[in-house]
């Protein structure tokens, strides 16, 4: 028998079976009408029993639905609408357009193509296969206000990626339920339109068409997490509690992740500790990742020991998180122990991510020989993440020769990523090799690679404010720059000297370099936070790039001068600045 992905209605065996379909038994002339009726009823009942039997098996074995449907045809029984729906469901999971089209033709010949379940199955399979014209044709053939039909086509438009078409269809829907709204919110999150996702959620609440469910909240909380909007995250958590929405593993992991990435680690601990018996490996991994991201490497190690004591078996993600914790915490011996334990105790084969964590672990500790040895012993080719860790450490530890070699390997591994060119340019700039800087910058221009400008965002009263380095277009720019001037004066009084080596441009004027550093986006965001929040209120900032060394040192002092806890989430990790210190281990 051909596999399910092969169109089976045109195979010789199926056609032969259809041609020799058992005929009803010919009764002798002497048979009475009553006897004939009983015999026909028996045959019909047997056919229905055969169909019901195959349908039940298709329900129990959905992965074999197409094969079982093929057997059903060969048995001589006529499939009912349930059998067609189950077979179409398998086609949708396999993205098997050819088999779906043949099922459609067969259903039309048998007169069941217009049945609600079959029609919705056809719309769904055509939509997921990207055949929106066919899906729309079936839909327009008669949906009769069927919400399932509308949602199937809505998902198809979401998968096609045409924003205008999707929004127009959503607005024109005759009936919308929670699934409809969830589709739009999830689509916004997948496209990175996080503020739009939250706006759609608010519109959903205002419309009062249907209540949000767990799926809705997972998507919304994911959007809040990216924006670092703790105030909105607290509201979302309160909404979950108020409405009595069951916190399953996905929602609990989303909440833990949200609190962790908003710099509120105790909020994540509260969610985790109140899960009771509903924990899974995923929720433990989320809590471990939260400790790691917030510079609580020792707490991550303690939690890992506690996890093992419960009998849960760690997976690859668990060890990847633990190796990151050891790397950020500077625990070299513990990292080596985790790496060896992964294979020896749990039989987990290390992948490229685990080797990358080990390279990062050695690089952060300045153990470049061990890092190079780890790269050589890797059973696979190093990827961009491995080379990026090595180049970043070479920049920090001023290992210019190794950094230059690794920088070109990084560019080879990721020729379209601006980070490799910037890091290599930094290596040359720190070494005073301005010809090398020009060479790298020219290479970027020739390849059409552009550097992403630094931007930082801060949430004030539920509103996200974004700042771009050097930008002076904010509506409160006069107040912000007045505060920025005060911050610079306070820093100088405290003995701070700008690290102009971070300005990797061939500029002789030190004042120009200092002015450039003062206009970094995170400093603009902090100035706005200081004038917009009450004394003592923590300031939480999200930056798209890595915090530079000068800003890192300046923010440490600012946290002491103004008595503020300043939390910065950058592209690499979290930085908790409090009373002149930072939890990240000062890897600068």
């Amino acid at each position: 028998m051909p596999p399910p992905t092969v169109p089976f209605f045109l195979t010789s065996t199926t056609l032969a079976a259809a041609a020799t379909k058992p005929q009803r038994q010919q009764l002798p002339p002497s048979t009475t009408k009553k006897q004939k009726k009983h015999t026909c009823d028996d045959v019909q009942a047997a056919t229905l029993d055969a169909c019901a039997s195959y349908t039940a098996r298709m329900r129990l074995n959905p992965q074999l639905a197409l094969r079982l449907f093929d057997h059903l045809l060969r048995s001589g029984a006529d499939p009912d609408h349930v059998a067609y729906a189950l077979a179409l469901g398998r086609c949708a999971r396999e993205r098997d357009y050819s088999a779906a089209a043949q099922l459609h033709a067969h259903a039309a010949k048998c007169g069941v193509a217009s049945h609600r379940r079959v029609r919705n199955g056809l719309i769904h399979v055509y939509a997921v296969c990207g055949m929106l014209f066919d899906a729309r044709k079936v839909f327009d053939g008669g949906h009769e206000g069927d919400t399932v039909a509308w949602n199937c086509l809505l998902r198809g438009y979401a998968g096609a990626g045409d924003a205008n078409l999707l929004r127009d269809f959503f607005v024109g829907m005759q009936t919308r339920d929670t699934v409809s709204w969830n589709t739009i919110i999830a689509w916004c999150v997948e496209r990175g339109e996080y503020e739009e996702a939250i706006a759609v959620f608010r519109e959903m609440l205002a419309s009062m068409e249907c209540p949000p469910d767990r799926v809705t909240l997972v998507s919304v909380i994911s959007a809040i997490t990216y924006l670092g909007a703790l105030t909105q995250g607290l509201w979302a958590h309160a909404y979950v509690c108020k409405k009595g929405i069951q916190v399953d593993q996905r929602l609990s992991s989303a909440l833990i992740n949200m609190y962790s990435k908003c710099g509120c680690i105790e909020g994540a601990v509260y969610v985790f500790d109140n899960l009771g018996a509903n924990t899974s490996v995923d929720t433990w991994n989320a809590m471990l990742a939260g400790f790691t991201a917030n510079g609580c490497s020792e707490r991550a190690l303690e939690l890992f020991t506690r996890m093992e004591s419960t009998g849960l078996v760690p997976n690859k993600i668990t060890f990847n998180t633990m190796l990151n914790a050891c790397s950020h915490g500077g625990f070299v011996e513990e990292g080596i122990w985790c790496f060896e334990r992964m294979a020896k105790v749990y039989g987990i084969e290390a992948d490229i991510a685990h080797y990358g964590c080990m390279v990062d672990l050695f690089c952060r500790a300045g153990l470049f020989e061990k890092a190079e040895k780890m790269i050589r012993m890797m059973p696979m080719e190093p990827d961009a993440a491995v080379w990026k860790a090595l180049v970043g450490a070479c920049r920090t530890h001023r290992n210019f020769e190794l950094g230059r070699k690794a920088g070109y390997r990084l560019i080879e591994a990721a020729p379209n990523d601006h980070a490799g060119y910037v890091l290599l340019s930094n290596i040359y700039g720190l070494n005073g090799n301005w010809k090398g800087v020009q060479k790298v910058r020219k290479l970027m221009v020739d390849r059409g690679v552009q550097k992403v400008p630094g931007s930082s965002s801060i949430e004030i009263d539920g509103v996200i404010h974004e700042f771009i380095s050097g930008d002076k277009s904010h509506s409160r720019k006069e107040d912000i720059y007045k505060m920025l001037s005060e911050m610079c004066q306070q820093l100088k009084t405290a003995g701070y000297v700008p690290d102009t080596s971070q300005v990797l441009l061939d500029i002789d004027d030190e004042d120009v370099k200092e002015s450039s550093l003062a206009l970094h986006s995170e400093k603009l965001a902090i100035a706005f936070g200081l004038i917009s929040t009450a004394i003592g209120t923590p300031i939480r900032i999200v930056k798209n790039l890595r915090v530079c060394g000068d800003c890192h040192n300046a923010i440490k002092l600012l946290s002491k001068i103004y008595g503020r806890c300043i939390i910065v989430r950058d592209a690499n990790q979290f930085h908790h600045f409090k009373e002149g210190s930072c939890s990240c281990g000062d890897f600068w």
Side-chain angles (χ1 to χ4, degrees):
M1 182 186 298
T5 54
V6 175
F8 50 86
F9 288 115
L10 298 181
T11 59
S12 58
T13 53
T14 306
L15 291 175
T20 58
K21 186 174 180 178
Q23 301 294 320
R24 291 183 180 179
Q25 184 179 358
Q26 294 294 323
L27 300 176
S30 60
T31 305
T32 64
K33 290 183 179 181
K34 186 176 181 180
Q35 289 175 322
K36 287 182 179 180
K37 183 177 184 302
H38 279 305
T39 304
C40 291
D41 289 345
D42 291 342
V43 172
Q44 186 176 12
T47 302
L48 292 173
D49 289 342
C51 181
S53 174
Y54 275 105
T55 301
R57 291 167 65 188
M58 290 169 75
R59 289 184 189 277
L60 293 172
N61 301 280
Q63 72 279 7
L64 298 177
L66 286 176
R67 289 183 183 273
L68 291 169
F69 190 90
D70 192 31
H71 283 298
L72 174 59
L73 289 180
R74 298 185 194 203
S75 71
D78 292 324
D80 60 6
H81 63 275
V82 178
Y84 280 106
L86 292 171
L88 287 168
R90 183 58 183 170
C91 291
R93 287 188 290 274
E94 293 287 332
R95 304 292 194 271
D96 192 342
Y97 170 75
S98 179
Q102 293 188 62
L103 278 169
H104 188 182
H106 198 276
K109 290 178 180 178
C110 295
V112 295
S114 60
H115 190 280
R116 177 177 174 273
R117 288 194 62 178
V118 179
R119 183 187 64 238
N120 290 343
L122 287 168
I123 296 172
H124 175 57
V125 69
Y126 285 145
V128 299
C129 289
M131 309 303 292
L132 290 179
F133 177 81
D134 294 336
R136 188 62 192 248
K137 192 173 181 180
V138 176
F139 177 83
D140 291 338
H143 49 77
E144 301 163 0
D146 187 348
T147 307
V148 176
W150 283 91
N151 285 335
C152 287
L153 194 53
L154 181 69
R155 286 179 182 143
Y157 285 131
D162 189 324
N164 294 328
L165 198 60
L166 176 64
R167 290 191 176 99
D168 290 344
F169 185 79
F170 179 73
V171 170
M173 289 181 71
Q174 294 178 358
T175 174
R176 293 185 295 215
D177 60 5
T178 304
V179 175
S180 314
W181 289 95
N182 288 350
T183 300
I184 298 297
I185 295 171
W187 177 81
C188 292
V189 173
E190 288 172 5
R191 286 172 58 93
E193 297 180 7
Y194 304 107
E195 294 186 57
E196 180 73 11
I198 296 172
V200 173
F201 175 64
R202 289 173 176 163
E203 186 181 344
M204 177 185 184
L205 294 175
S207 71
M208 300 181 67
E209 290 180 348
C210 51
D213 60 9
R214 289 194 301 272
V215 178
T216 318
L217 270 300
V218 168
S219 293
V220 171
I221 291 171
S222 297
I224 292 170
T225 300
Y226 180 86
L227 296 172
L230 180 61
T231 303
Q232 297 183 44
L234 289 167
W235 184 93
H237 191 185
Y239 183 88
V240 170
C241 298
K242 181 181 178 180
K243 297 298 182 181
I245 297 175
Q246 183 182 359
V247 180
D248 62 1
Q249 294 175 6
R250 285 192 64 198
L251 184 53
S252 61
S253 296
L255 285 168
I256 292 170
N257 195 35
M258 182 273 293
Y259 279 117
S260 299
K261 291 193 174 180
C262 287
C264 183
I265 191 63
E266 296 310 321
V269 172
Y270 172 82
V271 174
F272 181 78
D273 287 344
N274 283 275
L275 286 174
N278 293 327
T279 58
S280 66
V281 175
D282 291 338
T283 52
W284 284 84
N285 287 346
M287 193 66 249
L288 288 169
F291 282 139
T292 300
N294 284 271
C296 307
S297 297
E298 290 185 3
R299 295 179 72 177
L301 288 167
E302 291 171 2
L303 186 66
F304 177 70
T305 302
R306 181 176 149 198
M307 177 184 180
E308 286 190 307
S309 68
T310 65
L312 277 174
V313 179
N315 58 20
K316 284 190 172 186
I317 297 174
T318 311
F319 281 101
N320 186 46
T321 303
M322 290 311 304
L323 291 173
N324 266 319
C326 294
S327 176
H328 288 285
F331 301 129
V332 177
E333 295 302 321
E334 290 82 352
I336 296 172
W337 174 81
C338 280
F339 188 75
E340 293 176 348
R341 186 173 181 78
M342 178 175 63
K344 292 180 180 179
V345 177
Y346 295 101
I348 298 174
E349 184 178 354
D351 59 22
I352 186 69
H354 299 114
Y355 282 106
C357 289
M358 290 302 293
V359 171
D360 188 53
L361 173 71
F362 292 134
C363 286
R364 284 174 175 266
L367 304 173
F368 291 105
E369 290 185 3
K370 288 190 175 182
E372 290 184 273
K373 182 179 179 181
M374 180 62 67
I375 291 174
R376 287 195 297 269
M377 67 175 285
M378 288 170 57
M380 70 284 290
E381 283 294 319
D383 64 359
V386 173
W387 293 118
K388 191 178 293 184
L390 182 57
V391 179
C394 288
R395 180 186 62 179
T396 301
H397 294 283
R398 301 297 198 270
N399 190 336
F400 300 126
E401 183 59 29
L402 178 60
R404 183 184 62 79
K405 294 177 181 178
Y408 281 107
R409 294 296 299 271
L410 173 57
I411 290 175
E412 289 177 11
N416 297 320
D417 185 1
H418 74 278
Y421 300 92
V422 173
L423 282 171
L424 181 56
S425 176
N426 291 350
I427 293 288
Y428 279 125
L430 288 171
N431 198 27
N433 186 346
W434 301 112
K435 288 185 178 180
V437 172
Q438 291 178 344
K439 179 181 177 183
V440 176
R441 295 290 172 89
K442 185 178 183 302
L443 187 60
M444 279 186 74
V445 173
D446 292 343
R447 294 184 176 181
V449 180
Q450 295 183 344
K451 182 182 182 298
V452 176
S455 66
S456 299
S457 60
I458 180 172
E459 180 196 26
I460 302 294
D461 297 329
V463 179
I464 305 296
H465 299 265
E466 186 176 15
F467 297 88
I468 299 174
S469 296
D471 185 26
K472 300 181 180 181
S473 61
H474 196 276
S475 59
R476 296 187 62 187
K477 63 181 179 181
E478 292 183 3
D479 295 333
I480 293 171
Y481 280 89
K482 183 179 178 180
M483 186 70 237
L484 196 62
S485 177
E486 179 189 316
M487 287 165 49
C488 292
Q489 186 60 44
Q490 291 282 3
L491 285 169
K492 288 183 179 180
T493 303
Y496 162 76
V497 177
D499 183 7
T500 55
S501 67
Q502 297 291 327
V503 182
L504 301 175
L505 298 172
D506 191 8
I507 301 174
D508 294 329
D509 193 332
E510 289 296 311
D511 290 337
V512 174
K513 289 186 177 182
E514 289 183 19
S515 298
S516 174
L517 290 172
L519 295 178
H520 279 192
S521 62
E522 53 267 58
K523 289 175 181 170
L524 293 171
I526 290 172
F528 182 67
L530 289 172
I531 65 175
S532 304
T533 58
I535 295 174
T537 305
I539 295 175
R540 291 180 169 85
I541 295 169
V542 177
K543 183 173 182 180
N544 65 332
L545 303 177
R546 196 167 183 264
V547 175
C548 75
D550 175 75
C551 286
H552 187 271
N553 294 329
I555 298 172
K556 277 202 301 184
L557 279 174
L558 290 171
S559 69
K560 184 177 182 179
I561 293 168
Y562 290 96
R564 298 287 193 107
C565 175
I566 303 175
I567 302 166
V568 182
R569 187 183 94 201
D570 69 7
N572 189 53
Q573 65 185 102
F574 266 88
H575 310 272
H576 286 250
F577 300 95
K578 189 176 182 180
E579 299 177 354
S581 64
C582 182
S583 65
C584 69
D586 293 336
F587 181 58
W588 267 263

